Amino acid sequence: MATAAKADEQTAVFNNVVCPFCATLCDDLTVHVRGNQVVKVNGCNLSKGVFMNAHTEWATPRVDGKRVDYDDAVDEAARILARSVNPLIFGLAATDVEAQKKCIELADLIGANLDNASSV
Amino acid sequence: MVALQLGGAPAATLGEVKNRADLVIFWGSNPADSHPRHFTRYSGTAKGRFTRKGRKDRHIVVVDVRRTPSVKYADEFIQVDHGCDYEVLTAMRMIAGGKRPDRDEVGGVGVDTLANLVDRCKKARMGVLFFGQGITETRGKHQNSTAIYQFGKDMSRYSKFLTMPMRGHYNVVGSGNTMCWQTGYPFAVNFGRGYPQFNPGEFSVVDLLSRKEPDAALIVAAEPMDHLPYTAASHLEDIPTIVLDPRETLTTKIARVVIPVKHAGVSVEGSAYRMDHVPIRMQAPLKSPWPKDDAPLDAIIRKIKQIRIEQAGKTDGN
């Protein structure tokens, strides 16, 4: 799907990129990427914020504030949800449909409350 | 969403708006700041098949409680008193039905101004009323949106008239659609009985957290510590909270478990629904070392099933 073409040696240009910020979901952005960093994007200020700052403040796998292996974080999450009698799953609005389906599968498995930003 | 269930609404894509709409109303919405390219791509200056002159072919009205940055792009600005949207909409429905309110002003707006607006809506080739959080998050809440949908229904007797919420998060429409197609309900669903039950007020997030009912929480791609009322969000600090998010947020700071994931539309491809319910496939121009959010969710599902088998084994042994 990605239509990457070399603009110069280091810069890859992606055309018709969709902006994941607001629900206007503009699908006509041109994104210039150099070394896994966006160096130029022709969207609005909000989409510039999304792409230009995409790699700032990355989350890290943690339990109780301590850095752990990824699988340990996942295992701890599973233990918490398996123990819970009335869990809540909330969010879904800022991810894709495939992840949303997985959240629903999990909610069904553990008998959870499931809600998204529509109710806020 | 509740309003949609109460009122119903005619739907069209933003492409139809671009090609046909000659009257565009933004009510309680400030697209200049919140949806900056909505105006140029669809609702303002965009040139379409039957709107060849673009901006000149459209009459644009902004209705709001304050003079927002969107007003300078509009032909007309109607200022409503704080919290009076429902009254103003009801007066407009009254005028549309051939009655005149027994006063000169409703909610800070002259009745003549409202009568002119109703007249414009009736005569429009295609009118669109976009409404935002100024409607859905103020006094009256879903009743305001219901009044909007009902006004749209009234206008459909005279012209082609649409009402469309200016949804915020890029795939909030998708979350409603996916939940509808998977569970039958768009939000506030509970699986406690083994089948989906729908009850806003009982199973909606702010109500659940305010009553301190959940004993654990999984937050996926959301920022409740920032977006929910503090009385509700603070309960997340008291229970084990798990967060799946590409970035550090206020919620990851209070979380018991943080699981980083790829950012859909930035570092992984995925599908999302635009505000007019058109699904669009997103690209991934960047790379991230973390997996896509389905992967940890899938791993959690497998692990919980394994824990249950182990627990069942122990019970049998006893």
Side-chain angles (χ1 to χ4, degrees):
Chain A
M1 181 108 180
T3 49
K6 294 280 175 193
D8 60 44
E9 279 300 307
Q10 290 89 29
T11 309
V13 181
F14 293 80
N15 292 313
N16 302 321
V17 172
V18 178
C19 168
F21 189 93
C22 79
T24 312
L25 221 55
C26 296
D27 53 5
D28 61 346
L29 304 189
T30 302
V31 177
H32 297 247
V33 179
R34 192 180 299 150
N36 204 25
Q37 286 284 344
V38 173
V39 289
K40 194 173 150 196
V41 57
N42 62 344
C44 68
N45 284 339
L46 301 176
S47 67
K48 282 188 178 125
V50 170
F51 287 104
M52 305 295 275
N53 301 322
H55 285 176
T56 56
E57 298 196 352
W58 259 353
T60 50
R62 293 197 305 274
V63 173
D64 288 328
K66 294 192 188 73
R67 176 78 192 248
V68 295
D69 285 344
Y70 201 87
D71 291 346
D72 293 341
V74 169
D75 284 354
E76 179 60 17
R79 276 193 290 275
I80 290 168
L81 293 175
R83 265 200 307 268
S84 168
V85 290
N86 190 18
L88 164 69
I89 301 180
F90 170 68
L92 285 68
T95 188
D96 63 357
V97 170
E98 293 81 350
Q100 290 167 349
K101 278 176 72 179
K102 275 285 165 218
C103 288
I104 296 165
E105 186 184 335
L106 176 59
D108 191 9
L109 177 72
I110 59 175
N113 301 285
L114 177 64
D115 200 10
N116 60 52
S118 298
S119 81
V120 176
Chain B
M1 196 64 84
V2 173
L4 189 59
Q5 290 168 338
L6 291 172
T13 63
L14 288 171
E16 289 288 304
V17 172
K18 172 186 160 184
N19 283 317
R20 296 174 192 276
D22 58 348
L23 172 67
V24 178
I25 304 169
F26 292 101
W27 196 314
S29 166
N30 175 22
D33 283 340
S34 61
H35 301 75
R37 295 183 69 218
H38 194 279
F39 196 78
T40 46
R41 278 172 67 82
Y42 305 111
S43 55
T45 51
K47 290 179 182 169
R49 187 162 177 196
F50 303 108
T51 50
R52 286 179 192 275
K53 291 185 201 152
R55 180 67 185 83
K56 285 183 188 153
D57 276 341
R58 288 188 189 93
H59 186 80
I60 298 175
V61 184
V62 169
V63 186
D64 216 312
V65 295
R66 68 180 72 84
R67 189 169 272 278
T68 65
S70 299
V71 171
K72 68 176 175 212
Y73 303 107
D75 298 296
E76 199 179 337
F77 171 53
I78 297 175
Q79 191 157 7
V80 177
D81 283 347
H82 268 275
C84 291
D85 304 88
Y86 188 82
E87 285 88 332
V88 173
L89 283 160
T90 308
M92 283 171 68
R93 292 194 65 204
M94 204 171 159
I95 294 165
K99 305 258 183 351
R100 198 176 163 87
D102 60 354
R103 59 196 66 190
D104 297 334
E105 204 181 276
V106 179
V109 188
V111 169
D112 289 338
T113 309
L114 294 179
N116 283 341
L117 183 60
V118 171
D119 194 45
R120 257 187 204 286
C121 293
K122 282 184 176 177
K123 288 180 181 155
R125 189 177 56 203
M126 176 171 158
V128 192
L129 199 167
F130 292 104
F131 59 100
Q133 288 185 315
I135 282 288
T136 58
E137 302 283 311
T138 48
R139 190 170 71 98
K141 290 219 150 188
H142 69 268
Q143 293 298 352
N144 293 339
S145 322
T146 307
I148 291 245
Y149 284 132
Q150 284 170 336
F151 176 71
K153 214 192 249 180
D154 292 349
M155 288 303 105
S156 294
R157 289 197 208 129
Y158 306 96
S159 61
K160 183 155 184 60
F161 202 87
L162 302 173
T163 42
M164 194 186 292
M166 295 287 277
R167 304 306 296 272
H169 299 288
Y170 75 90
N171 199 19
V172 66
V173 173
S175 62
N177 282 4
T178 312
M179 282 180 67
C180 265
W181 121 65
Q182 295 269 307
T183 74
Y185 306 111
F187 68 99
V189 171
N190 175 282
F191 287 92
R193 293 193 172 204
Y195 54 87
Q197 288 179 294
F198 172 63
N199 198 3
E202 186 178 8
F203 305 133
S204 33
V205 65
V206 174
D207 305 277
L208 280 167
L209 290 174
S210 301
R211 293 194 301 263
K212 305 189 183 304
E213 286 180 12
D215 59 351
L218 170 66
I219 310 298
V220 181
E223 179 47 320
M225 291 308 285
D226 196 19
H227 298 162
L228 299 190
Y230 184 70
T231 43
S234 59
H235 184 56
L236 293 172
E237 297 181 74
D238 302 331
I239 58 174
T241 297
I242 304 149
V243 178
L244 263 69
D245 208 293
R247 313 267 296 268
E248 291 294 346
T249 63
L250 287 177
T251 314
T252 59
K253 294 202 172 23
I254 60 100
R256 172 88 175 273
V257 180
V258 179
I259 302 176
V261 289
K262 284 191 198 303
H263 190 159
V266 174
S267 47
V268 66
E269 287 185 18
S271 301
Y273 284 78
R274 201 165 67 186
M275 64 166 72
D276 56 353
H277 297 240
V278 171
I280 294 177
R281 189 75 182 163
M282 300 178 294
Q283 294 188 42
L286 295 180
K287 294 181 178 63
S288 156
W290 307 117
K292 181 168 161 21
D293 25 14
D294 322 12
L297 288 167
D298 218 21
I300 290 170
I301 290 170
R302 281 200 309 275
K303 180 79 183 169
I304 290 174
K305 284 180 178 167
Q306 189 191 332
I307 291 171
R308 285 185 178 176
I309 290 168
E310 284 165 11
Q311 282 171 345
K314 275 183 198 163
T315 316
D316 288 349
N318 292 336

